[in-house]
């Protein structure tokens, strides 16, 4: 019975440690998840702002005199603007897709950890029940066992007394 109590106590402690470890992992991954969600929101805002960007009307003017640049130079400026804008959008989209994938992966990991956490909690409850049952059994056992009706025990006591008497007589004798 004592072994059951000890084993249940050890299993309970192990489940508790595992539960704490899983809770720590969930907390860490939830923090990461929030960071990725914040990043994704920032990227969505950046994408919207970049999409709505318009070329500054003065960008096609001469920086020295302020006159409108010739058509070929204006076309170069517009092309450069569009190229920079598209590169920025492409980078934002790529980073956003990676953030979305990371979010999905973290959500799946957190769900799996939540399932593991439930298993550990169930183990703790089960081990606690086993320990409680064993302790109840132990408490119901008599404090001293009545061996007066056990013939084998009585024979052993008689033999012990005889051997003790012989040892005393040898010492006295």
């Amino acid at each position: 019975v004592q072994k059951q109590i000890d084993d249940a106590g050890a299993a309970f402690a192990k489940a508790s440690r595992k539960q704490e470890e899983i809770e720590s992992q969930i907390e860490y991954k939830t923090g990461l998840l929030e960071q990725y969600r914040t990043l994704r929101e920032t990227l969505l805002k950046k994408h919207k702002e970049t999409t709505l960007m318009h070329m500054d009307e003065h960008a096609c003017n001469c920086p020295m005199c302020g006159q409108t640049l010739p058509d070929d130079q204006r076309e170069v400026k517009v092309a450069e603007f569009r190229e920079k804008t598209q590169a920025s959008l492409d980078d934002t989209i790529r980073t956003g897709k990676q953030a979305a994938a990371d979010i999905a992966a973290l959500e799946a990991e957190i769900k799996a950890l939540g399932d593991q956490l439930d298993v550990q909690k169930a183990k703790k409850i089960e081990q606690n029940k086993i320990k409680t049952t064993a302790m109840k059994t132990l408490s119901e056992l008599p404090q001293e066992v009545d061996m007066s009706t056990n013939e084998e025990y009585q024979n052993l006591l008689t033999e012990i007394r005889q051997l003790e008497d012989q040892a005393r007589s040898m010492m006295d004798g």
Side-chain angles (χ1 to χ4, degrees):
V1 175
Q2 186 62 47
K3 182 169 177 4
Q4 284 180 322
I5 293 171
D6 294 343
D7 290 349
F12 183 87
K14 182 179 178 183
S16 292
R17 284 190 303 276
K18 186 69 175 169
Q19 178 182 341
E20 289 172 6
E21 178 184 317
I22 292 169
E23 287 172 343
S24 176
Q25 289 177 4
I26 288 173
E27 183 179 331
Y28 172 74
K29 289 183 186 272
T30 300
L32 279 178
L33 180 63
E34 290 307 314
Q35 289 177 3
Y36 279 115
R37 285 181 176 159
T38 301
L39 172 64
R40 189 164 183 268
E41 288 300 316
T42 302
L43 291 169
L44 286 170
K45 287 178 187 175
K46 181 179 177 184
H47 182 271
K48 185 175 182 179
E49 290 170 2
T50 304
T51 303
L52 297 175
M53 277 179 48
H54 295 290
M55 190 169 167
D56 183 10
E57 58 188 64
H58 299 295
C60 291
N61 293 345
C62 174
M64 300 294 260
C65 65
Q67 292 183 356
T68 304
L69 293 171
D71 288 343
D72 60 332
Q73 289 181 1
R74 278 198 320 246
E75 287 175 13
V76 168
K77 292 273 187 185
V78 169
E80 286 174 356
F81 173 77
R82 287 183 181 154
E83 189 177 303
K84 283 181 182 178
T85 303
Q86 190 59 49
S88 177
L89 283 173
D90 291 346
D91 183 54
T92 301
I93 290 170
R94 182 180 39 73
T95 306
K97 284 181 179 180
Q98 183 60 51
D102 291 340
I103 288 170
L106 281 170
E107 286 173 340
E109 288 176 30
I110 290 170
K111 183 185 180 324
L113 286 169
D115 294 344
Q116 290 177 21
L117 184 61
D118 292 341
V119 168
Q120 294 306 315
K121 287 179 179 179
K123 282 182 181 179
K124 281 177 54 178
I125 290 169
E126 180 62 28
Q127 293 305 318
N128 201 28
K129 284 180 185 176
I130 291 170
K131 185 175 180 180
T132 301
T133 302
M135 289 183 74
K136 182 179 179 199
T137 302
L138 183 64
S139 70
E140 291 171 352
L141 292 175
Q143 292 297 325
E144 286 190 30
V145 179
D146 180 16
M147 300 295 278
S148 62
T149 58
N150 186 320
E151 187 177 324
E152 183 180 352
Y153 177 73
Q154 293 302 321
N155 290 338
L156 286 172
L157 278 181
T158 304
E159 187 178 334
I160 290 171
R161 283 188 206 118
Q162 288 173 355
L163 291 171
E164 286 175 344
D165 289 343
Q166 285 177 359
R168 265 188 249 126
S169 68
M170 288 172 72
M171 293 176 117
D172 292 342

